[in-house]
Amino acid sequence: RRGACFVCAGGFAWRGNTFRLQRFRAMVAGCHGAVQARRRAKLRAGQGRATELETLFKTADADGSGRISRGELAAYLTQRYGQTPDDTEIGFIMKVADTNPPEGRLGMQEFAVAISSWECYREEFASGARLAVLFDDCDVHKTGSLDQDQLRTLLGRYSNTAVSDDDAAAVLKQADAIGDGSGGGHRNEVPLGL
């Protein structure tokens, strides 16, 4: 029975390691080549993102210090998105993104977090977005912050379920990114608690 032919993975091979057909070799080589090509493509995509981030960072770093200040971040966000963030929004972004010394100055990775935070915030509170509408409805005094009762109402409407005072308090505590004593009820903190 040595040398009997059988079908293997779409090609023909001979039993007993006597002979392998060219088609089988080509198939294996093709699969290996495809895996290598995917790895190279992922590497190039990662390098492309890093290059793009570096370009954006250099654009935002107006003074060339290698760190982004609060003012540079505000100017960059205004220039790139056409919307000027207010002081509370910039404070929020800096608090979320600024995790490494020196305080108040963002490195490249922190800058990436800041941009991502701003984009998420803008999506959640874009004109007509569900969370923005609910927030505005619940912010009866138009202060830009919700107290625990107002947040409980927002959460109930958002989830279509009853929300306890304990649940609302837990969301407020989790959302207090700024640490400004508002307890997490500020407009840009609420999404962090959800």
Side-chain angles (χ1 to χ4, degrees):
R1 306 268 290 132
R2 199 163 162 76
C5 183
F6 67 97
V7 176
C8 178
F12 292 94
W14 291 93
R15 249 190 234 171
N17 295 328
T18 307
F19 179 71
R20 296 207 184 260
L21 293 175
Q22 191 67 20
R23 182 172 176 209
F24 183 71
R25 283 189 201 140
M27 183 190 67
V28 170
C31 288
H32 180 70
V35 168
Q36 293 300 319
R38 280 194 295 275
R39 286 183 184 152
R40 286 190 305 271
K42 281 184 179 179
L43 181 62
R44 280 193 305 272
Q47 290 169 340
R49 283 190 292 274
T51 301
E52 180 183 2
L53 176 60
E54 187 176 339
T55 301
L56 296 175
F57 184 83
K58 286 179 181 178
T59 300
D61 186 17
D63 65 5
S65 67
R67 305 293 283 180
I68 305 296
S69 70
R70 184 182 178 111
E72 288 171 326
L73 180 62
Y76 176 79
L77 294 175
T78 301
Q79 177 264 323
R80 177 161 179 165
Y81 298 101
Q83 178 184 354
T84 303
D86 64 30
D87 286 339
T88 306
E89 291 167 334
I90 288 292
F92 168 76
I93 293 168
M94 292 296 287
K95 186 76 169 185
V96 168
D98 191 10
T99 57
N100 296 320
E103 189 172 325
R105 309 276 295 171
L106 304 178
M108 194 175 313
Q109 294 307 314
E110 293 170 312
F111 176 69
V113 170
I115 296 302
S116 178
S117 297
W118 180 246
E119 288 173 349
C120 289
Y121 172 71
R122 289 187 66 222
E123 285 175 22
E124 291 290 341
F125 284 100
S127 179
R130 182 168 183 237
L131 190 56
V133 170
L134 288 173
F135 190 96
D136 291 341
D137 286 348
C138 294
D139 184 14
V140 294
H141 303 295
K142 305 302 178 211
T143 61
S145 288
L146 301 179
D147 62 26
Q148 186 170 321
D149 288 335
Q150 293 167 330
L151 180 64
R152 187 171 34 79
T153 301
L154 179 141
L155 294 173
R157 290 182 189 172
Y158 191 70
S159 65
N160 294 321
T161 60
V163 176
S164 71
D165 285 336
D166 290 340
D167 289 339
V171 169
L172 279 174
K173 183 178 180 182
Q174 182 174 337
D176 191 15
I178 296 176
D180 61 356
S182 73
H186 193 273
R187 182 180 187 94
N188 44 14
E189 291 178 310
V190 168
L192 294 176
L194 299 179

